[in-house]
Amino acid sequence: MPKRLSGLQKEVLHLYRASIRTAYSKPKKNQINFVNYIHEEFDKYKNLPRKDFTTIEHLLRVGNKKVATFSHPEVTNIH
Amino acid sequence: MFRSVCRISSRIAPSAYRTMMGRPVIANTILAQRFYSANLSKDQVSQRVIDVIKAFDKNSPTIANKQISSDTQFHKDLGLDSLDTVELLVAIEEEFDIEIPDKVADDLRSVGETVDYIASNPDAN
């Protein structure tokens, strides 16, 4: 039986999916930089307690804003 | 009598059809290809999905050696966590030039389910 995900967990996955999709929309040779950056950012909070809702919600807002910023076509690379 | 009419009409029909249509052969083949790509065969889809999965082994090089069938589950059999699964699905989306909606993607847990969804998606190519 697959484990059920909470609404908040799903939101995190949706943010992650949006991020990776944005990375794929960038020039081919820079995509890996974006993907690495996304991994770094998510890894930072890997050990956040799952009950720490306020922090997770805050990070979701920050993350969604970042995706919106980086999805502008003018942004072509990241370091 | 009737039979001969049939024979004649069937011989005439294609060419008459073509001239009536004006832009004959090309239009027909394009149409045919469109229809074809709308219905990718399941074997084709699963082969391409498996290829994408095999290429997706940066975290766990063991995937390349694993036997992948339609029963293979991303989490249980391939050892992918939820984020890896999302990433793999986006890679598969890229391969087939589609976008799997969040709601559907959240419920895809095995290779078979993914193949079924792509085969049923008319935009996949």
Side-chain angles (χ1 to χ4, degrees):
Chain A
M1 191 61 205
K3 60 182 186 316
R4 305 276 306 153
L5 293 174
S6 72
L8 200 57
Q9 285 175 315
K10 276 189 184 162
E11 273 186 56
V12 174
L13 287 185
H14 294 174
L15 172 64
Y16 191 69
R17 186 173 296 124
S19 320
I20 297 284
R21 275 192 191 142
T22 309
Y24 271 107
S25 71
K26 302 301 177 190
K28 263 239 147 56
K29 67 175 169 36
N30 298 333
Q31 283 178 3
I32 187 71
N33 297 341
F34 281 95
V35 172
N36 287 339
Y37 176 71
I38 295 164
H39 286 167
E40 257 173 50
E41 289 296 303
F42 276 82
D43 277 351
K44 271 186 207 167
Y45 306 103
K46 214 168 193 165
N47 297 318
L48 203 64
R50 68 172 62 192
K51 298 275 180 212
D52 196 351
F53 303 123
T54 43
T55 311
I56 297 173
E57 280 169 2
H58 164 73
L59 289 170
L60 275 173
R61 282 194 297 275
V62 173
N64 279 319
K65 215 159 181 183
K66 269 192 189 174
V67 171
T69 312
F70 286 133
S71 59
H72 284 298
E74 291 87 2
V75 181
T76 54
N77 203 354
I78 194 168
H79 296 287
Chain B
M1 176 67 186
F2 180 63
R3 200 179 286 171
S4 66
V5 170
C6 279
R7 219 180 297 141
I8 289 166
S9 65
S10 71
R11 222 182 303 141
I12 290 172
S15 56
Y17 181 64
R18 256 177 230 167
T19 40
M20 271 196 307
M21 290 299 279
R23 48 201 156 112
V25 187
I26 299 170
N28 279 350
T29 44
I30 287 175
L31 212 60
Q33 276 171 354
R34 281 251 174 98
F35 277 130
Y36 185 64
S37 64
N39 301 306
L40 286 169
S41 85
K42 233 174 204 183
D43 291 338
Q44 253 178 312
V45 173
S46 70
Q47 191 50 52
R48 280 167 65 188
V49 167
I50 289 171
D51 286 345
V52 173
I53 295 173
K54 297 234 176 207
F56 183 85
D57 60 351
K58 46 184 179 269
N59 305 339
S60 39
T62 45
I63 289 181
N65 313 323
K66 280 201 178 121
Q67 216 37 283
I68 296 171
S69 72
S70 61
D71 297 329
T72 307
Q73 300 221 337
F74 298 134
H75 173 65
K76 225 170 63 196
D77 301 321
L78 297 181
L80 299 173
D81 67 17
S82 51
L83 295 183
D84 293 332
T85 308
V86 167
E87 213 171 318
L88 175 64
L89 284 174
V90 176
I92 293 172
E93 285 179 7
E94 286 290 311
E95 163 73 14
F96 289 96
D97 202 12
I98 52 172
E99 194 158 300
I100 305 175
D102 281 338
K103 267 214 177 90
V104 179
D106 285 343
D107 294 331
L108 295 177
R109 291 170 207 286
S110 71
V111 176
E113 291 171 21
T114 312
V115 170
D116 285 345
Y117 174 76
I118 294 169
S120 70
N121 187 327
D123 294 331
N125 60 53

